C-alpha cells in the first residue's frame, strides 16, 4: 500500500508530493524548502521526479538528492533549466537522468510513466501513477499552464491540449499548484482554452 502526501512550498506555493511506500518513497517536484517537509515524512527517498524544469519545482533537487542519495529524473528537454544559477538554486543538471516521453520508471513495484505535454516548457510532462496524473504546470483545477514564458510555446500548448483529450477520464489530477481535480472535470474546458490561445 501507499499514500500520497503534499505540501505547498516556496514563494509560489508549489506542490511537492511524496508517494510513501514501506520499501521507500518517491518525491515529485521538490520546490524551495521542500527538504524539511520531506525529512519530516520520509527516511528513505528512492527517487526524485520532476514534471518540468521551472525553478519553483526543482529548487531542492540537489539538496534532496544529497540528503537521501536519491536518483533524479527530469524530462530530457528541460534538463537545461536545471543548470541556471540565476535564481539561486543549486544546479542539478549534472545528476539528472533524462526521461523520454512514455518512459516507465519502476521502483519496488511502483510504476511511474512520463507523458510529454509541451507548451509550458519544452519538456513539460505529466507523470502517471496508479489512477493519478501528477500534472505539474500543464493542467490545473479550471486552468492550464501559461504559454507566454521564456521557452514556452503557444502552438505546442494547443497540440498538448488536443492530445490531452485522450487522457483517462476517471483519473485524478494532482497539479503543481492549487487543489486536486479530475480529468473528467477539466476536459470540457479544453476546447475553450484552445480557442483562447489561438486568439492571443
Amino acid at each position: 500500500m501507499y499514500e500520497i502526501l503534499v505540501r505547498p512550498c516556496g514563494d509560489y506555493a508549489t506542490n511537492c508530493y511524496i508517494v510513501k511506500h514501506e520499501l521507500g518513497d518517491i518525491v515529485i517536484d521538490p520546490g524551495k524548502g521542500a527538504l524539511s517537509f520531506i525529512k519530516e515524512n520520509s527516511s528513505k527517498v528512492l527517487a526524485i521526479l520532476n514534471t518540468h524544469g521551472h525553478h519553483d519545482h526543482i529548487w531542492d533537487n540537489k539538496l534532496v538528492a544529497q540528503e537521501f542519495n536519491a536518483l533524479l529524473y527530469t524530462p530530457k528537454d528541460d534538463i537545461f533549466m536545471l543548470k541556471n544559477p540565476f535564481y539561486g538554486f543549486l544546479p542539478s543538471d549534472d545528476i539528472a537522468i533524462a526521461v523520454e516521453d512514455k518512459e516507465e520508471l519502476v521502483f519496488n513495484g511502483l510504476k511511474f510513466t512520463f507523458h510529454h505535454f509541451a507548451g509550458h516548457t519544452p519538456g513539460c510532462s505529466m507523470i502517471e501513477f496508479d489512477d493519478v496524473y501528477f500534472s505539474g504546470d500543464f493542467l490545473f483545477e479550471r486552468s492550464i499552464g501559461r504559454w507566454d514564458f521564456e521557452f514556452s510555446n503557444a502552438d505546442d500548448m494547443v497540440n498538448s491540449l488536443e492530445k490531452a483529450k485522450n487522457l483517462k477520464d476517471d483519473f485524478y489530477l494532482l497539479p503543481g499548484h492549487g487543489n486536486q481535480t479530475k480529468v473528467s472535470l477539466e476536459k470540457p474546458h479544453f476546447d475553450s482554452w484552445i480557442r483562447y490561445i489561438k486568439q492571443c
Side-chain angles (χ1 to χ4, degrees):
M1 293 296 293
Y2 67 87
E3 63 176 324
I4 299 176
L5 308 180
V6 60
R7 178 177 296 176
C9 297
D11 298 337
Y12 300 97
T14 303
N15 288 331
C16 174
Y17 295 96
I18 304 174
V19 179
K20 286 191 62 64
H21 186 267
E22 60 183 1
L23 298 178
D25 306 330
I26 308 300
V27 169
I28 297 165
D29 286 356
K32 190 174 184 179
L35 178 60
S36 61
F37 161 59
I38 295 164
K39 289 172 67 175
E40 290 170 10
N41 292 280
S42 180
S43 59
K44 185 178 182 181
V45 174
L46 301 175
I48 305 155
L49 312 182
N50 294 149
T51 59
H52 65 293
H54 277 154
H55 72 278
D56 59 314
H57 292 255
I58 58 97
W59 193 287
D60 276 10
N61 270 355
K62 195 68 165 277
L63 295 176
V64 178
Q66 291 173 339
E67 177 73 22
F68 294 95
N69 193 28
L71 298 173
L72 169 66
Y73 296 87
T74 306
K76 67 171 186 175
D77 292 331
D78 278 8
I79 286 182
F80 75 97
M81 294 182 170
L82 277 57
K83 64 182 177 181
N84 184 353
F86 175 78
Y87 295 102
F89 61 81
L90 291 175
S92 54
D93 61 301
D94 59 324
I95 62 171
I97 300 169
V99 183
E100 303 276 352
D101 182 30
K102 294 182 172 57
E103 184 170 346
E104 297 180 355
L105 305 175
V106 181
F107 308 97
N108 289 328
L110 301 179
K111 183 173 72 173
F112 297 81
T113 306
F114 279 69
H115 298 282
H116 188 212
F117 290 96
H120 184 66
T121 66
C124 190
S125 297
M126 298 207 304
I127 302 171
E128 178 181 350
F129 169 70
D130 199 10
D131 62 350
V132 163
Y133 293 117
F134 294 97
S135 58
D137 282 5
F138 173 46
L139 298 177
F140 304 104
E141 182 183 32
R142 304 300 185 273
S143 189
I144 62 173
R146 291 178 59 172
W147 58 91
D148 58 341
F149 288 144
E150 184 179 18
F151 308 121
S152 297
N153 186 286
D155 291 336
D156 286 346
M157 181 62 82
V158 167
N159 291 336
S160 288
L161 286 168
E162 292 285 0
K163 177 182 172 182
K165 293 178 181 179
N166 295 317
L167 291 172
K168 300 168 186 176
D169 284 345
D170 57 339
F171 269 45
Y172 292 93
L173 291 171
L174 273 57
H177 307 268
N179 302 319
Q180 78 172 39
T181 181
K182 291 194 77 171
V183 172
S184 60
L185 297 176
E186 304 309 323
K187 268 189 183 180
H189 306 286
F190 288 177
D191 283 334
S192 294
W193 283 114
I194 289 169
R195 288 193 296 271
Y196 180 76
I197 294 169
K198 288 181 176 179
Q199 292 171 359
C200 290

